[in-house]
Amino acid sequence: MAVDGLDTRILRLMIEEPRTSVREYARMLGVARGTLQARIDRLERTGVITGTGPRLSPAALGHPVLAFVHIEVTQGYLDEVGDELAAVPEIVEAFSITGGGDLLARVVARDNGHLEDVVQRLIRLPGVVRTRTEMVLRERVPHRLLPLVESVGRSVGVPR
């Protein structure tokens, strides 16, 4: 879905000031509240906005270890293994990938021993051939989307 200049400005505000009300966003943007709400509804309906809940810190929840686990799967078992990954609470994301492996899972753990336990659980899943784990040392660029929103805005001629 293509976003226009107003959409870009709305998204920027929602990222920069997520706890502001729709009424306040409308005032800040100089548009009618109904117009703003219709835009937000469309952005949600088309999948541009996928959530509005708080972002949580696994480290603050007692899981400071972060690793990426590449999982090689027996041919024909990708869906089954993917379903099993969803049952492992320490897996916060998983993706089908190309390259070295079939799946890539973002895994959090309490400590290195707990990470090993999680990886051993993955290895025992039917259809898993092998895993390769890469531990994160330090986050260099936190999850962010504002630069992308601003880039899209520049391409449609939106002033900052």
Side-chain angles (χ1 to χ4, degrees):
M1 180 204 126
V3 297
D4 65 13
L6 179 57
D7 293 333
T8 301
R9 291 172 41 220
I10 292 167
L11 293 170
R12 183 181 301 134
L13 268 179
M14 292 180 81
I15 291 168
E16 291 176 340
E17 301 186 36
R19 298 183 72 155
T20 303
S21 69
V22 171
R23 177 177 288 147
E24 183 62 15
Y25 287 147
R27 186 196 65 72
M28 295 166 79
L29 293 169
V31 298
R33 185 192 170 289
T35 299
L36 181 69
Q37 188 63 61
R39 291 292 186 115
I40 291 172
D41 291 347
R42 181 179 50 80
L43 291 167
E44 289 174 346
R45 190 175 55 255
T46 58
V48 173
I49 296 174
T50 58
T52 58
R55 294 209 42 201
L56 305 177
S57 166
L61 292 171
H63 290 69
V65 174
L66 174 60
F68 292 94
V69 179
H70 296 260
I71 304 166
E72 189 176 319
V73 177
T74 301
Q75 196 165 8
Y77 280 81
L78 192 60
D79 289 338
E80 290 84 353
V81 172
D83 291 343
E84 291 293 328
L85 295 181
V88 180
E90 295 86 358
I91 294 179
V92 295
E93 291 181 297
F95 305 91
S96 297
I97 60 169
T98 62
D102 300 297
L103 295 164
L104 178 65
R106 183 176 175 199
V107 179
V108 296
R110 293 183 302 272
D111 54 38
N112 290 353
H114 182 219
L115 176 62
E116 181 181 11
D117 293 343
V118 172
V119 171
Q120 290 300 317
R121 179 177 176 184
L122 299 179
I123 290 170
R124 287 191 299 271
L125 292 176
V128 171
V129 175
R130 75 177 48 88
T131 65
R132 188 181 88 240
T133 303
E134 298 171 354
M135 291 187 59
V136 171
L137 300 176
R138 179 180 296 154
E139 182 178 66
R140 297 294 180 168
V141 178
H143 179 79
R144 67 205 178 121
L145 291 174
L146 186 56
L148 178 63
V149 169
E150 290 174 342
S151 172
V152 169
R154 281 192 297 275
S155 71
V156 294
V158 177
R160 270 190 70 120

